[in-house]
Amino acid sequence: MVLDSGLQSGPANNAIDRHYLDLHAQGACPDQLRFYRSLPSASVGRHQIIDRELRIDYCRSNDIALVRRLSGGGAIYLDPRQLGWSLILKRPHTWRQLGLEQLLALFSRALAKGLKRLGISARYAYPNDLEIEGRKIATLFAASEAESLLLQGTLLLDADIRTMLEALRVPTEKLSPDGLSAARERLITVKECLGKIPDLEKIQAAIIHGLSTGLRLQFGGRTKGSGAHIPQCDALAEESAAAHQIDWREDRTSALESLWKTPGGTLRARAVFDGEGKRIEWIEIGGDIHLDPGDLLCKLQRALQGLPIAHTQQCMVDFFRDNGVDTLGFGAQDVVRLLHILLDKLSLRRDVQLSSKQLNALMIYSQQAVSARQILNQASVMLVPYCAKPAWCKWRTRDGCTECGLCEVGEAYRLARERGMQVTTVTHYEHLVATLSDMKARDVGAYIGMCCSSFFIKRHRAFLQAGMPALLMDISGSNCYELKQEELAYAGQFQAQAQLDTEVLHQVIKFVPRAG
């Protein structure tokens, strides 16, 4: 059966998907393909922390609805310029052994066949996109309930790039492999490919052809408008509430946070420990990740709460083994690493005079799970971002500092000099890559540095390729990501000034041995 529910609000489209997936899992409705479009909406994946992914205040002030999908993955912006569809079907016997990665690849290639009929040549890009010469034109997601599959997709007919970047807490670097191209150069639309947007029925027919031939499915006739379930007010209210199921704006002053970047997305955790630091009282895990079944993180959280810390690692390994978890681009060891970082900060809290908020500003990177204390004990280099120097400083875009005492950078240089550390002001992105490469060649054991968390996540490849353990301190104030000026920043031309937290620096650098 093929439905066309037309233009609906984001919460309504979510509610429709939820309604039909529940019915289908109960055997109460047939397989179906539904086409739709959305009024302006910001949609987060099932496991994402909403305030880390969306500019909530901007969305509310501009009547952009907030929704949480049934499927995982990253945040997307939806509006009438996109065509969406949801395919609900019983998992065919031939798909029983297919994991999320294989399903998304199969779904993407089927869609590519359909677009070919329109004269658009797109290719599957891991993990869940369709691209044309590196430019994204469609995104796909998957979820399941019992034996029922929900395969979702959105096709860019046209794009409102400005609103997209304002609504999503996604800098243009996220949309650009080299961080230097504009977001418009990372996306491509049907209109740009064909010079116009074909009639929607023609586009739908192409998609139906691709899905039917690529997935070997048969679709019946179409039903428009009233053929689709129209959600009631209470269902819409539930969808709006569900959007905030994972929202870290809630005040938990003692909670410690960690993040760990994986090929499948960024994992995040937040936890509260008992007064003696021996048990987990409460924990929440999320991220822009794909996993199946979708409720497994909630089950894992329940398994960890109240558990002695000494038993947590084995608990997670056993949980992933016993529950048949299907993950895309990450595994049990990544979640273990995420918890290790939390426990590392818990250990640091006993010896430093820092609040949980300040500890949460520390980003620990180590492929070998080296602790923060070990990193600091081995650190011989400090990297400082040029954007922390005042705009009027003649040394702002140069490596070096006169330690004049008029900004925090001078204090960082002084503290590093006392410990015989090499200090480098990173003046642009290519300079960072070259500096890390030189450090790796000199067998630098570890280093400390400062950067915003957005940079750490989006440019993680540079830290990964360097391979050296690092303790990085988040910077505050005017950063290029919030101001959406990261292209200027990467080129060394950002004008605003960020701030270093010298209190945090004083507390952590005391673990770095003094020179001599």
Side-chain angles (χ1 to χ4, degrees):
M1 180 170 63
V2 179
L3 306 177
D4 182 352
S5 56
L7 183 62
Q8 304 281 346
S9 70
N13 280 318
N14 249 35
I16 293 170
D17 279 346
R18 193 181 305 276
H19 171 79
Y20 281 123
L21 183 60
D22 286 345
L23 286 181
H24 192 275
Q26 297 167 24
C29 81
D31 295 353
Q32 67 171 41
L33 172 64
R34 180 176 71 93
F35 290 101
Y36 61 88
R37 287 179 299 134
S38 286
L39 295 170
S41 307
S43 170
V44 294
R46 179 168 183 165
H47 315 290
Q48 286 189 292
I49 297 92
I50 190 169
D51 58 298
R52 306 304 166 92
E53 306 298 336
L54 305 181
R55 294 186 171 91
I56 295 174
D57 290 341
Y58 175 85
C59 291
R60 285 178 173 167
S61 62
N62 288 273
D63 295 323
I64 297 172
L66 307 179
V67 295
R68 183 176 297 275
R69 295 189 308 276
L70 293 169
S71 53
I76 57 174
Y77 173 72
L78 302 170
D79 66 14
R81 295 173 177 85
Q82 299 174 49
L83 176 64
W85 63 93
S86 296
L87 172 62
I88 298 177
L89 72 164
K90 184 177 180 180
R91 185 187 293 261
H93 180 75
T94 54
W95 294 8
R96 294 296 169 89
Q97 302 304 315
L98 298 182
L100 274 171
E101 181 176 345
Q102 292 80 18
L103 275 175
L104 287 169
L106 182 66
F107 186 26
S108 300
R109 292 180 179 123
L111 175 61
K113 285 187 177 182
L115 295 183
K116 191 78 172 178
R117 286 176 71 92
L118 297 173
I120 298 173
S121 297
R123 300 183 64 180
Y124 165 63
Y126 176 89
N128 62 322
D129 291 332
L130 273 187
E131 294 184 350
I132 299 173
E133 296 181 353
R135 302 174 68 187
K136 180 164 66 175
I137 192 169
T139 302
L140 304 108
F141 305 100
S144 68
E145 184 175 335
E147 290 299 311
S148 299
L149 279 176
L150 168 63
L151 300 172
Q152 300 170 308
T154 58
L155 175 68
L156 289 171
L157 305 178
D158 202 354
D160 180 355
I161 300 293
R162 181 183 181 88
T163 303
M164 179 186 298
L165 294 182
E166 292 284 2
L168 307 183
R169 198 174 288 279
V170 179
T172 52
E173 187 280 326
K174 165 77 173 179
L175 302 172
S176 173
D178 60 10
L180 300 174
S181 303
R184 194 174 298 280
E185 296 174 350
R186 178 62 181 92
L187 301 174
I188 191 168
T189 66
V190 170
K191 183 177 181 180
E192 187 175 350
C193 289
L194 304 179
K196 65 176 183 178
I197 300 175
D199 183 80
L200 285 180
E201 288 195 3
K202 182 177 181 180
I203 299 175
Q204 291 176 4
I207 292 173
I208 291 171
H209 172 80
L211 296 179
S212 60
T213 57
L215 304 181
R216 298 182 180 178
L217 301 174
Q218 291 185 345
F219 297 98
R222 299 190 188 195
T223 304
K224 288 190 177 183
S226 60
H229 168 75
I230 304 300
Q232 301 300 310
C233 292
D234 56 346
L236 298 181
E238 288 175 7
E239 291 298 335
S240 296
H244 295 280
Q245 282 177 346
I246 312 177
D247 189 338
W248 287 4
R249 292 174 302 164
E250 179 189 354
D251 185 22
R252 288 182 179 266
T253 54
S254 63
L256 292 176
E257 297 180 14
S258 63
L259 65 85
W260 182 246
K261 187 77 165 63
T262 76
T266 301
L267 288 164
R268 296 180 184 269
R270 183 169 71 147
V272 175
F273 299 89
D274 67 358
E276 297 180 348
K278 294 183 178 180
R279 291 179 182 272
I280 297 175
E281 288 189 350
W282 174 89
I283 187 168
E284 193 165 41
I285 302 170
D288 54 343
I289 51 175
H290 302 262
L291 80 159
D292 184 64
D295 62 350
L296 279 170
L297 284 184
C298 293
K299 292 181 179 179
L300 175 60
Q301 289 162 188
R302 289 195 294 269
L304 292 172
Q305 287 175 11
L307 195 68
I309 286 173
H311 299 163
T312 53
Q313 177 171 337
Q314 191 60 47
C315 172
M316 284 194 284
V317 172
D318 293 344
F319 182 89
F320 272 73
R321 182 195 63 218
D322 298 339
N323 285 275
V325 183
D326 179 14
T327 59
L328 198 163
F330 74 99
Q333 290 306 316
D334 291 301
V335 184
V336 169
R337 183 74 186 96
L338 186 71
L339 184 62
H340 276 173
I341 296 172
L342 275 180
L343 298 180
D344 204 3
K345 291 185 178 183
L346 179 66
S347 176
L348 268 180
R349 186 159 66 181
R350 301 187 184 105
D351 300 324
V352 296
Q353 297 175 341
L354 295 175
S355 66
S356 294
K357 181 178 180 180
Q358 289 173 313
L359 285 166
N360 291 338
L362 299 179
M363 296 167 286
I364 301 167
Y365 174 76
S366 172
Q367 293 173 296
Q368 294 77 35
V370 176
S371 71
R373 280 191 182 82
Q374 290 172 309
I375 292 172
L376 292 167
N377 187 60
Q378 300 171 22
S380 59
V381 175
M382 178 187 290
L383 302 181
V384 180
Y386 80 91
C387 61
K389 295 179 179 179
W392 49 260
C393 178
K394 69 178 182 179
W395 289 91
R396 179 174 169 94
T397 57
R398 297 162 60 187
D399 185 11
C401 176
T402 61
E403 299 179 38
C404 67
L406 297 178
C407 77
E408 299 94 342
V409 172
E411 181 66 1
Y413 265 75
R414 184 188 69 80
L415 291 171
R417 179 168 45 78
E418 285 182 351
R419 286 157 177 77
M421 302 178 75
Q422 171 197 332
V423 191
T424 298
T425 297
V426 177
T427 57
H428 50 81
Y429 178 66
E430 288 76 10
H431 184 209
L432 171 65
V433 173
T435 300
L436 290 175
S437 177
D438 175 68
M439 289 164 57
K440 184 177 182 180
R442 293 188 289 110
D443 291 324
V444 170
Y447 63 98
I448 61 177
M450 302 90 176
C451 70
C452 68
S453 58
S454 294
F455 182 89
F456 176 65
I457 293 170
K458 311 309 178 186
R459 303 309 294 170
H460 189 263
R461 181 173 54 188
F463 301 102
L464 178 66
Q465 289 176 344
M468 292 168 285
L471 180 71
L472 302 169
M473 287 159 269
D474 199 355
I475 57 178
S476 59
S478 301
N479 72 68
C480 63
Y481 286 89
E482 285 302 312
L483 297 176
K484 294 178 284 296
Q485 296 177 18
E486 59 277 8
E487 292 181 61
L488 293 174
Y490 288 6
Q493 299 170 16
F494 181 59
Q495 295 301 310
Q497 182 181 351
Q499 279 87 47
L500 308 182
D501 191 328
T502 54
E503 184 180 0
V504 173
L505 181 57
H506 272 272
Q507 289 294 317
V508 300
I509 206 168
K510 66 185 183 183
F511 294 104
V512 178
R514 287 181 177 269

